[in-house]
Amino acid sequence: MNRLFVLFMVFSFLDVSSQITVYENDISSVGDVVFQRAETPIPTLSVGSSGASQSWDFSTLSVGDSDSLLFINPSNTIYANQYPNSNLCLDDNGTLSYYNKTSNGLFILGLGDTVFQSPALFLPLPLTYGLNISDGPIVVIDTALTGPFIEAAIPSSTVSVLTNGLSNKADTALVKITNTTDFSVDAYGTMTTPLGTFDVLRVKMITYTNSELDVYCSDTVSGQGSWVTNVPFSSIPILANFSNNEVEYKYQWITNDPTVSFLICEAVVDMSD
């Protein structure tokens, strides 16, 4: 299976081996800086097996050029007023994501000026081997779009197809996106990277994203219009490469070592094991 590996770089070496538990205080806080590097694909690396006392050797990952992730105080950002419940903000090269870190989990509240309808669980806490939890379905986006953007995104030729020739203009689009994520701490052991060996928990995540699109279409001559519901993304030119129903499979290796980033490595794969 194809894999996207993201190595979260650290600057210390530690060689230990034991089953761990990850708590709220082990998660990054305001002021932390994390360096990451993405590589894809890497056919020689494997996410390995579930179970106790596993060993993952990712020492062949590169430690070259990397991107910086900055954990900052959300109250000092331009969208602070939209996130009164956020206590942690991640600045990824100018893209801001907002979180609420609690003893029960790390919750994502939104991206930039797009505030989620409900907080979505990003990582359950405390993390222990054998933990299984499901979050959702959570409505993260439920919004109406109008104006020139909709007319450009859904041109008259597409409207004509959607309405069997009865309309030629898209007036309003209703978008509803719902996420459900299953978390399973299915393995623990040690992970070796180019920067050291660390005790880790492996978290397997499966995220199901359901997107609903309804479009109100009208005829500019008669003024008549109607709703077209459950529009498939494949029928909209700018969405043709996406599906209304997506499934993402991801693995994360997480440590409680206080000298490093809690997230050591992440792998997005094209199917579950």
Side-chain angles (χ1 to χ4, degrees):
M1 54 187 170
N2 293 327
R3 308 171 183 86
L4 170 63
F5 285 92
V6 180
L7 176 65
F8 291 83
M9 300 179 185
V10 296
F11 296 98
S12 64
F13 295 83
L14 186 62
D15 188 10
V16 293
S17 180
S18 62
Q19 182 177 338
I20 62 173
T21 299
V22 176
Y23 297 97
E24 175 187 0
N25 290 339
D26 299 314
I27 305 302
S28 296
S29 300
V30 172
D32 289 348
V33 179
V34 175
F35 300 91
Q36 73 169 9
R37 177 182 172 87
E39 297 191 27
T40 181
I42 306 178
T44 58
L45 295 182
S46 171
V47 297
S49 302
S50 61
S53 302
Q54 299 296 314
S55 179
W56 296 275
D57 185 358
F58 287 4
S59 59
T60 58
L61 287 173
S62 172
V63 292
D65 294 338
S66 60
D67 296 321
S68 299
L69 305 179
L70 309 177
F71 289 93
I72 60 178
N73 190 331
S75 64
N76 297 330
T77 67
I78 58 175
Y79 305 116
N81 292 338
Q82 296 177 246
Y83 295 95
N85 296 321
S86 175
N87 56 20
L88 187 65
C89 178
L90 176 63
D91 184 347
D92 183 359
N93 197 29
T95 299
L96 303 179
S97 51
Y98 291 82
Y99 300 85
N100 183 25
K101 186 174 71 167
T102 75
S103 60
N104 296 320
L106 181 64
F107 297 86
I108 183 168
L109 307 179
L111 304 172
D113 62 354
T114 302
V115 181
F116 293 168
Q117 294 292 309
S118 302
L121 185 60
F122 186 83
L123 189 70
L125 294 172
L127 280 181
T128 58
Y129 175 57
L131 175 69
N132 291 281
I133 190 170
S134 182
D135 180 59
I138 299 293
V139 177
V140 293
I141 294 177
D142 190 357
T143 189
L145 302 174
T146 59
F149 171 77
I150 291 302
E151 294 181 41
I154 310 177
S156 59
S157 57
T158 300
V159 173
S160 180
V161 172
L162 291 175
T163 62
N164 294 318
L166 297 177
S167 300
N168 58 14
K169 179 185 177 184
D171 293 310
T172 304
L174 300 180
V175 181
K176 183 178 180 179
I177 300 177
T178 305
N179 279 355
T180 299
T181 302
D182 296 330
F183 300 86
S184 175
V185 185
D186 67 346
Y188 76 87
T190 58
M191 166 168 280
T192 300
T193 75
L195 298 169
T197 299
F198 308 93
D199 267 359
V200 293
L201 296 170
R202 188 181 77 170
V203 184
K204 176 182 176 181
M205 304 177 184
I206 305 177
T207 300
Y208 306 88
T209 301
N210 176 261
S211 302
E212 300 176 25
L213 175 62
D214 299 334
V215 182
Y216 185 83
C217 303
S218 64
D219 180 76
T220 54
V221 176
S222 67
Q224 300 296 311
S226 62
W227 284 99
V228 181
T229 59
N230 297 317
V231 177
F233 282 178
S234 58
S235 65
I236 308 299
I238 67 170
L239 299 175
N241 293 327
F242 299 92
S243 170
N244 295 71
N245 297 285
E246 300 276 355
V247 182
E248 180 187 66
Y249 303 94
K250 181 165 60 178
Y251 293 88
Q252 292 183 343
W253 288 264
I254 295 175
T255 185
N256 65 349
D257 187 323
T259 66
V260 303
S261 165
F262 72 97
L263 181 55
I264 298 295
C265 190
E266 179 179 277
V268 179
V269 300
D270 55 11
M271 64 180 63
S272 184
D273 55 339

